[in-house]
């Protein structure tokens, strides 16, 4: 009878629907080194047939006009697309994709000569869904990690492509793992428990050190431990309503324009930091950190006219003065510097000074402010898998250049991802964070907003914020939002500081993460202990004695460093 009862469960777990009782853990790992032998496929290949080519051609076929070979080298078997005349000439496998399922994809790729960007693509109903890309190399294997969702269920064909048709594309260790939305949410909760929360043990004793059971404990978080904020403009100065709304919610900010070169030196040789100084003073008074945005901007469109008119030598001297001026003025006061803004998509300074322009400017800034993290700040690295200029692989290439700069001490680098979304590809976003997180450098989502119809904007915004907050490698988030009508793509409030749906999302999540003065009341056990898992942050504590009706107030801070691997709770002893 027991065997008969188990059979339906086993059948359920083998079916496409999969059992919700068995959660497949998400694999946050990614490899950014080029290896002689590829690793085994993640999730044992997921729904990919013959993912490591051990069974010859099973599951794999020619795509477009490529010739397909199955080879072996050093005991490792792989498939090769050769004799390619167009980018999509490749090797492929047919799969069935389901609407509502989130797919994480990975593969190990190599090209026959040199280096070439290679993308993973799913052809479905004549449309092409890009899952990610990597810069593949010859003589070693590179890991591509990506992801996708689809708008409707149906058959699809997976293939890899490269604009460089002179190279063969070698493919091995392919994986396509499906997750339900419930599973995806469970991954987020698990990651939050590990990365954003910590176990706390509170003991209540009397003046003699004796335990007090049944003491009432009220815990109120007064400040989020995870840095979360919004960009602002100078219109926050003197606007009490705006100030009240902002300071109740956020712990970090970025000035939209007030620190930028065209704002502080609109006329050559005449600097004016009055507004930026006033804004920094205001936020310092309220304990709100400020990100430095930016030292210079690589976009030619956003240079002052006097800058673009300079000769090469005069421009070089002007850049040196700018870097010294702004970085020395705010040295040690900021949460990080966006140094050469958007230097993957744009190259104004490289066009003037050569390919090492960004490296030199980073080195200048670091020499002046050596303890502050220097960020590469870029868009579409998370948002768009078709943008190969700023793909995670291209971001890593530039990052490695910056890491190779020879200065006294290493430059403390940070990864700034702007996060200007339209329709988010959440599995791709997670995979890109996995890839960049393999560097070990701090990742910030620096300019989050969503350009979408009002019916979808708040929903998409919540998806992005949840994914960013839950990812173990993300260390802070700043939205690129203001109040109507002074917004870029998205507002959080109307002109009277009444929340719009996007603002309601912010408040809901802050409350969920323990903010906005959220309170919890509990009672100590028979030994005077109370244990809980709390979000990192600053807390106020009120303890009431059950017999004397006396009460005391305390405060404590819980940080990610307070417990070893989250196994031992942080213990606080309070007397009442």
């Amino acid at each position: 009878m027991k065997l008969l009862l188990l059979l339906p469960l086993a059948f359920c777990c083998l079916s496409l629907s999969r059992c919700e009782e068995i959660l497949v853990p998400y694999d946050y790992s990614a490899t950014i080194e080029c290896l002689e032998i590829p690793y085994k496929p993640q999730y044992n290949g997921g729904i990919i047939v013959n993912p490591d080519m051990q069974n010859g051609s099973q599951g794999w076929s020619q795509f477009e006009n490529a010739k397909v070979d199955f080879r072996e080298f050093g005991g490792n078997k792989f498939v090769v697309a050769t004799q390619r005349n167009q980018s999509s000439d490749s090797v492929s496998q047919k799969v069935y994709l389901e609407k509502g399922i989130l797919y994480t994809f990975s593969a190990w790729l190599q090209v026959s000569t040199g280096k070439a960007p290679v993308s993973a693509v799913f052809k479905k109903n004549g449309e092409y869904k890009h899952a990610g890309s990597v810069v593949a190399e010859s003589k070693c294997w590179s890991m591509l990690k990506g992801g996708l969702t689809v708008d409707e269920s149906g058959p699809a064909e997976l293939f890899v492509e490269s604009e460089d048709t002179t190279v063969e594309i070698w493919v091995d260790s392919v994986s396509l793992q499906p997750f339900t939305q419930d599973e995806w949410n469970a991954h987020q909760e698990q990651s939050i428990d590990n990365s954003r929360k910590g176990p706390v043990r509170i003991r209540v004793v009397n003046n003699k050190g004796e335990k007090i059971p049944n003491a009432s404990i009220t815990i109120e978080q007064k400040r989020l431990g995870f840095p979360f904020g919004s960009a602002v403009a100078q219109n926050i100065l003197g606007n009490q309503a705006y100030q009240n709304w902002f300071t109740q919610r956020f712990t970090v900010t970025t000035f939209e324009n007030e620190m930028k070169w065209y704002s502080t030196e609109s006329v050559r040789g005449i600097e004016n930091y009055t507004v930026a100084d006033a804004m920094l003073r205001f936020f310092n008074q309220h304990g709100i950190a400020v990100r430095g945005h930016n030292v210079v901007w690589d976009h030619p469109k956003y240079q002052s006219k006097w800058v673009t008119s300079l000769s090469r030598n005069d421009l070089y001297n002007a850049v040196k003065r700018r870097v010294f001026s702004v970085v020395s003025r705010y040295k040690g006061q900021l949460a990080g510097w966006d140094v050469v803004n958007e230097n993957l998509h744009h190259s104004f300074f490289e066009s003037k000074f050569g390919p090492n322009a960004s490296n030199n400017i980073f080195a200048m800034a670091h020499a002046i402010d050596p303890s502050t993290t220097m960020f590469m700040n870029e868009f579409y690295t998370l948002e768009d898998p078709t943008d190969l200029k700023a793909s995670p692989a291209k971001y890593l290439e530039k990052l490695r250049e910056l890491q190779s700069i020879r200065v006294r001490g290493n430059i403390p680098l940070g990864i700034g991802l702007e996060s200007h979304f339209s329709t988010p590809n959440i599995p791709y976003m997670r995979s890109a964070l996995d890839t960049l997180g393999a560097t070990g450098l701090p990742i910030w989502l620096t300019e989050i907003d969503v350009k979408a119809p009002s019916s979808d904007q708040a929903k998409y915004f919540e998806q992005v914020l949840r994914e960013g907050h839950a990812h173990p490698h993300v260390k802070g988030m700043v939205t690129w939002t203001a109040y109507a009508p002074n917004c870029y793509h998205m507002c959080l409030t109307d002109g009277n500081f009444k929340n719009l749906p996007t603002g309601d999302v912010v408040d809901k999540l802050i409350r969920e993460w323990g903010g906005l003065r959220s309170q919890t009341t509990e009672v100590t056990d028979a030994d005077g202990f109370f244990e809980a898992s709390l979000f990192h942050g600053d807390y106020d504590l009120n303890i009431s004695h059950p017999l004397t009706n006396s009460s005391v107030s305390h405060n404590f801070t819980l940080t990610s460093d307070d417990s070893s691997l989250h196994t031992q709770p942080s213990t606080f002893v309070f007397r009442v």
Side-chain angles (χ1 to χ4, degrees):
M1 176 62 71
K2 290 182 179 179
L3 178 61
L4 291 175
L5 289 173
L6 288 172
L7 282 175
L9 178 62
F11 177 79
C12 168
C13 294
L14 290 171
S15 71
L16 286 175
S17 61
R18 289 164 294 128
C19 287
E20 291 187 4
E21 290 87 346
I22 299 178
L23 175 67
V24 177
Y26 181 82
D27 188 346
Y28 286 95
S29 68
T31 303
I32 57 176
E33 296 83 19
C34 199
L35 304 181
E36 183 178 356
I37 300 295
Y39 290 155
K40 295 296 183 182
Q42 292 187 315
Y43 311 102
N44 294 317
I47 62 173
I48 294 293
V49 175
N50 188 21
D52 52 5
M53 318 302 160
Q54 293 302 303
N55 297 320
S57 62
Q58 181 185 359
W60 298 97
S61 60
Q62 168 190 336
F63 190 79
E64 303 291 0
N65 298 312
K67 182 178 183 296
V68 174
D69 289 336
F70 290 85
R71 301 179 188 171
E72 183 174 350
F73 181 78
N76 182 55
K77 296 180 179 180
F78 52 94
V79 62
V80 177
T82 185
Q83 297 181 25
R84 302 173 53 251
N85 296 310
Q86 56 188 14
S87 62
S88 56
D89 286 345
S90 183
V91 60
S92 71
Q93 181 165 143
K94 292 181 172 61
V95 294
Y96 188 89
L97 302 179
E98 296 181 69
K99 180 181 179 180
I101 298 296
L102 299 94
Y103 293 92
T104 186
F105 174 83
S106 61
W108 287 78
L109 300 167
Q110 188 172 162
V111 292
S112 52
T113 57
K115 292 183 179 182
V118 180
S119 300
V121 187
F122 289 78
K123 182 180 180 182
K124 188 174 182 298
N125 293 336
E127 297 182 349
Y128 297 88
K129 297 278 289 188
H130 286 73
S133 66
V134 72
V135 178
E137 302 181 32
S138 59
K139 301 181 181 178
C140 60
W141 293 90
S142 299
M143 183 185 187
L144 183 160
K145 194 169 189 185
L148 77 158
T149 59
V150 292
D151 298 327
E152 59 180 21
S153 300
E157 196 163 9
L158 160 68
F159 67 97
V160 292
E161 68 174 10
S162 176
E163 294 292 334
D164 187 346
T165 58
T166 67
V167 299
E168 298 177 346
I169 303 176
W170 301 6
V171 184
D172 199 2
S173 293
V174 184
S175 174
L176 183 65
Q177 177 63 38
F179 292 107
T180 65
Q181 188 65 60
D182 286 343
E183 288 173 320
W184 201 264
N185 296 345
H187 300 150
Q188 291 179 341
E189 290 302 316
Q190 288 177 347
S191 182
I192 286 169
D193 286 343
N194 292 330
S195 304
R196 309 291 178 225
K197 301 172 79 173
V200 174
R201 198 179 197 209
I202 294 173
R203 192 178 195 203
V204 181
V205 299
N206 61 21
N207 288 330
K208 297 179 181 179
E210 300 167 335
K211 63 187 179 184
I212 301 179
N214 299 316
S216 177
I217 298 177
T218 300
I219 302 172
E220 181 180 272
Q221 190 188 67
K222 60 181 181 179
R223 182 179 176 87
L224 294 175
F226 178 80
F228 180 52
S230 174
V232 292
Q234 61 181 304
N235 55 10
I236 198 169
L237 297 175
N239 189 330
Q240 190 65 51
Y242 190 10
Q243 294 173 7
N244 292 342
W245 183 89
F246 193 97
T247 56
Q248 288 171 9
R249 289 163 172 80
F250 300 126
T251 59
V252 63
T253 189
T254 303
F255 301 169
E256 290 181 355
N257 296 296
E258 288 76 9
M259 276 191 187
K260 291 174 181 171
W261 194 3
Y262 59 64
S263 295
T264 62
E265 193 180 2
S266 59
V267 177
R268 184 181 183 184
I270 302 176
E271 294 182 330
N272 187 343
Y273 288 96
T274 304
V275 175
D277 287 352
M279 293 173 69
L280 184 59
R281 279 195 303 272
F282 169 78
F283 288 109
N284 284 341
Q285 290 165 5
H286 288 84
I288 294 173
V290 176
R291 298 191 70 256
H293 181 75
N294 49 52
V295 178
V296 294
W297 196 348
D298 228 351
H299 200 313
K301 178 180 176 182
Y302 296 107
Q303 310 301 326
S304 296
K305 288 183 179 179
W306 70 264
V307 170
T308 58
S309 68
L310 296 177
S311 67
R312 184 181 185 279
N313 287 340
D314 284 349
L315 178 60
Y316 181 74
N317 290 327
V319 169
K320 285 179 63 177
R321 287 195 302 271
R322 160 62 182 177
V323 175
F324 179 80
S325 175
V326 70
V327 178
S328 63
R329 188 178 194 89
Y330 300 119
K331 175 183 177 180
Q333 301 180 64
L334 303 176
W337 282 108
D338 294 334
V339 182
V340 185
N341 203 44
E342 300 175 349
N343 61 345
L344 293 179
H345 282 98
H346 308 296
S347 55
F348 174 77
F349 296 103
E350 285 77 5
S351 71
K352 302 296 183 180
F353 306 131
N356 290 324
S358 287
N359 297 17
N360 293 335
I361 295 170
F362 266 84
M364 289 180 204
H366 169 69
I368 299 164
D369 191 359
S371 63
T372 299
T373 303
M374 302 285 160
F375 282 83
M376 261 185 70
N377 194 48
E378 194 53 77
F379 62 93
Y380 287 178
T381 305
L382 298 182
E383 303 97 307
D384 186 358
T386 68
D387 188 336
L388 300 186
K389 287 184 177 180
S391 68
K394 283 294 187 180
Y395 194 108
L396 286 171
E397 280 190 343
K398 194 67 176 177
L399 200 61
R400 290 183 181 114
E401 286 183 22
L402 297 175
Q403 289 175 315
S404 71
I405 298 173
R406 295 187 177 183
V407 294
R408 174 179 254 175
N410 293 325
I411 298 178
L413 294 171
I415 295 172
L417 306 172
E418 292 184 11
S419 308
H420 294 295
F421 286 89
S422 50
T423 302
N425 178 346
I426 294 297
Y428 176 74
M429 175 184 175
R430 184 182 287 187
S431 72
L433 291 171
D434 295 346
T435 299
L436 295 172
T439 63
L441 298 177
I443 298 175
W444 279 62
L445 310 189
T446 57
E447 302 180 14
I448 306 167
D449 62 13
V450 176
K451 186 180 182 181
S454 57
S455 57
D456 295 321
Q457 192 176 49
K459 176 181 69 175
Y460 292 161
F461 185 46
E462 182 173 345
Q463 289 175 359
V464 171
L465 291 179
R466 285 191 180 280
E467 191 62 44
H469 176 259
H471 200 282
H473 295 301
V474 173
K475 304 304 180 185
M477 300 192 300
V478 180
T479 64
W480 205 255
T481 50
Y483 66 94
N486 305 298
C487 312
Y488 179 52
H489 287 316
M490 193 178 81
C491 300
L492 296 181
T493 79
D494 64 15
N496 296 314
F497 302 101
K498 180 181 178 182
N499 274 3
L500 299 171
T502 48
D504 288 338
V505 165
V506 166
D507 284 0
K508 177 174 74 171
L509 293 180
I510 291 176
R511 286 193 180 94
E512 201 173 293
W513 303 337
L516 287 174
R517 311 299 292 189
S518 301
Q519 286 189 352
T520 301
T521 300
E522 302 291 345
V523 175
T524 57
D525 64 16
D527 294 316
F529 284 104
F530 162 69
E531 293 191 22
S533 178
L534 300 177
F535 281 97
H536 302 145
D538 298 340
Y539 288 87
D540 287 335
L541 192 72
N542 185 272
I543 306 172
S544 298
H545 196 294
L547 300 178
T548 65
N549 291 324
S550 60
S551 64
V552 295
S553 296
H554 297 277
N555 55 67
F556 68 93
T557 298
L558 179 66
T559 70
S560 57
D561 299 325
D562 280 338
S563 58
S564 175
L565 299 177
H566 303 275
T567 56
Q568 297 299 320
S570 301
T571 301
F572 302 90
V573 179
F574 299 108
R575 296 180 183 273
V576 63

